[in-house]
C-alpha cells in the first residue's frame, strides 16, 4: 500500500474521545456523518483541512482511552490515508488493523505540520519530501499483517469462519 | 521459569504454555458489549456472515452508556441491540439495570481464572476478581461472538507492590490515581499490571474494583489481583459456581517491579485534561466546584455511596452546586435504599439518576456548561468527555466528591471523617 499526502500534526496521548466525541458516536452508525466531527475537540476545523490521502501524525500513546471502534472508522471515512505515531494504545491499534486503517509506528519527531510525505507500507519506509529524509517503519506483528492482507478481520472470518493464523 | 498470573490464565485457555510476547488464540469464558460498541459489533457480525453466537449463556449486551435514550438516534441503536439479542437468545440488560462492569461481576458468570472480553475499555475491572478481562473493539467482539475465541499477544507484566495501609480518609481511588500519575498514561501499554501487597489485600472487594477498573488509564491490558476470602465471600452473594484462583509463581518474570509505601498517602485528584495529571488534593483545595458526580463503574458501588452518605448525612449540598448520583446497578440502588443511604443523599440535595453510566460519557444526565468545574468519581477527565469541551473535569474519591459538594469547593474529606 502506497500513500501520498501532507502531515497534520498532533501531540501525545490523543485519546479516542478527541478522535470522535461520545456526544456524537452513540447516535448513529453513519460513519461518514461521524467523520465530519473527527478530531473536533482538538481542532474544530480539522475535517475541512484534510485532502484525501493526508496523514494524521501523533506522538506517543495515540488512540488511548475508550475502546470505540468509531475512532479509526471516523478517521478512515474522513479520507485520511494512515495514522503515524511514535506509539499506539493497544485497543485502538487492534481496531485500526481490524477495520483496515493503516497505522504506522515511526519517529514522528522528524515530521512537522504540513510536511509532504510518501508512505510505502510494503517497503516499510516513509519519505519526508519536505525535509528530504526517509524514516523506517516499525514492522507490524505477523498476525496483523495476515489480517490486513485478508482485508480486515471481517473478511478474514468470511474466508476462514474463524481465526486462522496457521 | 515461573509464570505470571496472566501467562497462567492464558495457558489455561489456549492449550499450550503461554509466555510473554507470544501470540496465542485463546478460548473466551464470557463476552460483553454495551450500547456504544454493540451496534457496530452487530454490523461486523453480519459482515462476517455470522449465524449464531458461540454460546448464548456466555454472552450479554448492556444498555448503560446512554440510557434511557436521550434521542431517536440512540433509540434506534438500542432497538437494534434488543432485536439482535432476542434473535440470538442471549441476555440483554436493559436501561436501569446498571453499568456493565457492575452487572457482569454481579451475574456470577465471571470469577477467579476466567478469561473475559468486553467491548468497553474498562472491562479490565474484573481483574479485581482474579480474572483476565480486557477491552476490545467491536470487530474483535464480533469475532469472539462467532468463534468463542480471541487472539492475544501474551503481555509482559508490571508488578505493583503496595505496602502499608491507607490512612483514614484516603481510599483506593486515591491510590490508583497516585499510581497512574507515577507510571503515566502509557506506562503500562501492551502490558498487564499485577497489584499486590498489604495495601491491596487490606481493601474490601468493592474498593479493589476501583483499582482494577483504572488499569487501562495507565495503558494496561489487564489489572490483576489475587483472589482471597474477601473475593470468594463477595462472589458467594451471587453464585455457587466454583472457580479456581490463579497465583503468579514465585519465580515469575516481570518487566518491572515497583514498590510503594501507601501509609502516608494523601487524597489525590486528576486534573484536566488527562488522567495522569495527578496532584495531591491540597494543591486545589478552595477552588470552586459547580457540579459533583458520584457513581460510574469506578465508584458507584454500595460502599462508595455509603462513604459519601456518611459525609452528607445531616448536611446540605452547597447552594448553586449540583450533585448527581448514579448507582452502579439496580442491586446497588436497592441495597442503598434499604440502608437509608439514598434517603440521606437525596435529603442532602442530590439528584438521583438512572443506575448506569450517568453523566460520565457526555451523552446525557448532566452536561456541564462552558467554564464550569466538575469533580467526579469517574475514571476519565478528557476535554469534552462529559459533553462540553469548555468545562474542566477533576477526578477524585467519593469522599472528596461528597466533602466538596458540601462546601462548594475542593475540600479535604478528612475534615469530615473523624
Amino acid at each position: 500500500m502506497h500513500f501520498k499526502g501532507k502531515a497534520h500534526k498532533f501531540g501525545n496521548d490523543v485519546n479516542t474521545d478527541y478522535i470522535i466525541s461520545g456526544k456524537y458516536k452513540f447516535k448513529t452508525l453513519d460513519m461518514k456523518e461521524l467523520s465530519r466531527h473527527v478530531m473536533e475537540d482538538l481542532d474544530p476545523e480539522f475535517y475541512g483541512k484534510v485532502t484525501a490521502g493526508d496523514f494524521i501524525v501523533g506522538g506517543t500513546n495515540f488512540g488511548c482511552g475508550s475502546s470505540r471502534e468509531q475512532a479509526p472508522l471516523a478517521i478512515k471515512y474522513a479520507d485520511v490515508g494512515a495514522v503515524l505515531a511514535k506509539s499506539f494504545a493497544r485497543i485502538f491499534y487492534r481496531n485500526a488493523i481490524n477495520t483496515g486503517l493503516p497505522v504506522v509506528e515511526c519517529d514522528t519527531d522528524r515530521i512537522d505540520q504540513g510536511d509532504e510525505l510518501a508512505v510505502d507500507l510494503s517497503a516499510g519506509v516513509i519519505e519526508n519530501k519536505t525535509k528530504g529524509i526517509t524514516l523506517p517503519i516499525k514492522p507490524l506483528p505477523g498476525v496483523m499483517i495476515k489480517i490486513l492482507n485478508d482485508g480486515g478481520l471481517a473478511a478474514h472470518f468470511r474466508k476462514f469462519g474463524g481465526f486462522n493464523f496457521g | 521459569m515461573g509464570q505470571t498470573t496472566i501467562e497462567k490464565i492464558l495457558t489455561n485457555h489456549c492449550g499450550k504454555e503461554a509466555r510473554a510476547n507470544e501470540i496465542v488464540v485463546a478460548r473466551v469464558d464470557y463476552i460483553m458489549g454495551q450500547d456504544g460498541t454493540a451496534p457496530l459489533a452487530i454490523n461486523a457480525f453480519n459482515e462476517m456472515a455470522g449465524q449464531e453466537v458461540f454460546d448464548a449463556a456466555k454472552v450479554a449486551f448492556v444498555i448503560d452508556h446512554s440510557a434511557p435514550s436521550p434521542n431517536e438516534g440512540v433509540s434506534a441503536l438500542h432497538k437494534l441491540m434488543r432485536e439482535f439479542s432476542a434473535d440470538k437468545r442471549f441476555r440483554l440488560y436493559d436501561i436501569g439495570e446498571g453499568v456493565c462492569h457492575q452487572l457482569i461481576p454481579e451475574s456470577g458468570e465471571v470469577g477467579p481464572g476466567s478469561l473475559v472480553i468486553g467491548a468497553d475499555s474498562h472491562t479490565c475491572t474484573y481483574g479485581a476478581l482474579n480474572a483476565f478481562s480486557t477491552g476490545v473493539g467491536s470487530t474483535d467482539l464480533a469475532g469472539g461472538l462467532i468463534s468463542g475465541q480471541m487472539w492475544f499477544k501474551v503481555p509482559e507484566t508490571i508488578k505493583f507492590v503496595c505496602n502499608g495501609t491507607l490512612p483514614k480518609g484516603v481510599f483506593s481511588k486515591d491510590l490508583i490515581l497516585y499510581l497512574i500519575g507515577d507510571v503515566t498514561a502509557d506506562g503500562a501499554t501492551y502490558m498487564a499490571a499485577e497489584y499486590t501487597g498489604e495495601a491491596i489485600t487490606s481493601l474490601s472487594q468493592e474498593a479493589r474494583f476501583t483499582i482494577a477498573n483504572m488499569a487501562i488509564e495507565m495503558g494496561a491490558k489487564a489489572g490483576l489481583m489475587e483472589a482471597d476470602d474477601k473475593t470468594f465471600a463477595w462472589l458467594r452473594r451471587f453464585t455457587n459456581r466454583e472457580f479456581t484462583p490463579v497465583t503468579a509463581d514465585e519465580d515469575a518474570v516481570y518487566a518491572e517491579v515497583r514498590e510503594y509505601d501507601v501509609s502516608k498517602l494523601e487524597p489525590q485528584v486528576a486534573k484536566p485534561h488527562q488522567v495522569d495529571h495527578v496532584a495531591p488534593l491540597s494543591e486545589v483545595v478552595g477552588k470552586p466546584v459547580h457540579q459533583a458526580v458520584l457513581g460510574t463503574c469506578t465508584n458507584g458501588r454500595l460502599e462508595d455511596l455509603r462513604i459519601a452518605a456518611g459525609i452528607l448525612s445531616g448536611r446540605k449540598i452547597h447552594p448553586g452546586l449540583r450533585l448527581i448520583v448514579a448507582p452502579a446497578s439496580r442491586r446497588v440502588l436497592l441495597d442503598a435504599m434499604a440502608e437509608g443511604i439514598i434517603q440521606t443523599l437525596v435529603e442532602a440535595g442530590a439528584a438521583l439518576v438512572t443506575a448506569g453510566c450517568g453523566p460520565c460519557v457526555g451523552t446525557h444526565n448532566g452536561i456541564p456548561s462552558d467554564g464550569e468545574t466538575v469533580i467526579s468519581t469517574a475514571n476519565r477527565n478528557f476535554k469534552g468527555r462529559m459533553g462540553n469541551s469548555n468545562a474542566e473535569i477533576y477526578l477524585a474519591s467519593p469522599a472528596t466528591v461528597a466533602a466538596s459538594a458540601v462546601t462548594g469547593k475542593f475540600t479535604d474529606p478528612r475534615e469530615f471523617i473523624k
Side-chain angles (χ1 to χ4, degrees), chain A residues 4-75:
Chain A
K4 277 184 189 167
K6 64 177 185 298
H8 298 269
K9 192 100 190 258
F10 293 89
N12 295 335
D13 302 308
V14 172
N15 62 62
T16 53
D17 274 80
Y18 292 166
I19 297 169
I20 185 67
S21 168
K23 69 184 171 191
Y24 301 120
K25 71 134 181 170
F26 284 91
K27 285 184 197 170
T28 182
L29 289 176
D30 180 347
M31 294 302 139
K32 189 66 203 168
E33 174 55 33
L34 277 187
S35 74
R36 296 178 208 285
H37 302 288
V38 70
M39 311 302 268
E40 190 177 271
D41 281 337
L42 293 178
D43 179 359
E45 311 298 320
F46 178 73
Y47 178 77
K49 292 179 186 169
V50 174
T51 305
D54 279 359
F55 303 98
I56 286 178
V57 179
T60 55
N61 204 25
F62 189 93
C64 61
S66 153
S67 66
R68 61 192 68 176
E69 203 159 287
Q70 290 90 338
L73 287 169
I75 292 174

Side-chain angles (χ1 to χ4, degrees), chain B residues 118-396:
Chain B
D120 186 284
S121 60
H122 293 109
T123 303
C124 51
T125 307
Y126 328 143
L129 294 174
N130 187 236
F132 167 36
S133 59
T134 194
V136 297
S138 297
T139 301
D140 271 337
L141 195 84
L145 289 174
I146 291 169
S147 67
Q149 294 182 317
M150 187 53 41
W151 76 267
F152 296 102
K153 183 176 173 189
V154 183
E156 295 187 280
T157 297
I158 301 185
K159 186 175 181 177
F160 293 84
V161 183
C162 302
N163 298 310
T165 53
L166 291 171
K168 196 169 256 238
V170 182
F171 298 90
S172 63
K173 181 61 162 288
D174 300 300
L175 173 55
I176 187 60
L177 287 177
Y178 182 81
L179 296 179
I180 292 164
D182 191 55
V183 298
T184 76
D186 65 348
T189 297
Y190 306 132
M191 290 193 267
E194 279 183 20
Y195 304 106
T196 65
E198 187 192 4
I200 303 295
T201 56
S202 62
L203 293 173
S204 70
Q205 183 57 43
E206 296 209 337
R208 295 177 193 176
F209 281 119
T210 304
I211 290 177
N213 174 269
M214 293 190 74
I216 181 70
E217 310 308 332
M218 51 175 76
K221 184 181 291 196
L224 291 142
M225 297 177 186
E226 287 188 11
D228 62 9
D229 290 349
K230 290 180 193 173
T231 313
F232 286 102
W234 192 90
L235 279 166
R236 271 196 296 276
R237 290 170 56 205
F238 306 104
T239 181
N240 293 320
R241 186 186 293 251
E242 293 292 323
F243 293 99
T244 308
V246 175
T247 309
D249 291 323
E250 290 279 319
D251 57 345
V253 178
Y254 292 93
E256 193 183 353
V257 179
R258 302 174 78 101
E259 291 219 34
Y260 299 86
D261 177 1
V262 309
S263 54
K264 291 193 172 63
L265 191 70
E266 294 175 46
Q268 307 283 310
V269 286
K271 300 188 292 183
H273 298 287
Q274 278 188 216
V275 184
D276 62 354
H277 284 180
V278 176
L281 172 65
S282 55
E283 200 179 283
V284 293
V285 159
K287 180 182 165 62
V289 177
H290 305 95
Q291 179 167 301
V293 176
L294 174 64
T296 78
C297 58
T298 319
N299 277 125
R301 298 181 182 81
L302 183 64
E303 181 177 291
D304 300 316
L305 304 189
R306 189 186 290 135
I307 289 165
I311 291 170
L312 286 158
S313 177
R315 297 188 169 96
K316 297 284 183 198
I317 62 170
H318 193 262
L321 173 138
R322 293 97 61 187
L323 171 61
I324 296 166
V325 177
S329 71
R330 180 177 289 158
R331 175 177 286 266
V332 168
L333 174 59
L334 288 167
D335 289 349
M337 285 167 70
E339 224 181 284
I341 291 169
I342 297 298
Q343 183 85 13
T344 300
L345 294 173
V346 173
E347 278 179 358
L352 185 70
V353 300
T354 309
C357 298
C360 172
V361 75
T363 59
H364 66 347
N365 278 350
I367 294 164
S369 302
D370 287 356
E372 287 194 329
T373 299
V374 179
I375 186 168
S376 170
T377 62
N379 43 35
R380 292 210 169 114
N381 59 349
F382 303 150
K383 188 175 168 187
R385 171 76 179 180
M386 291 179 66
N388 184 341
S389 50
N390 296 314
E392 294 199 318
I393 307 165
Y394 290 73
L395 308 178

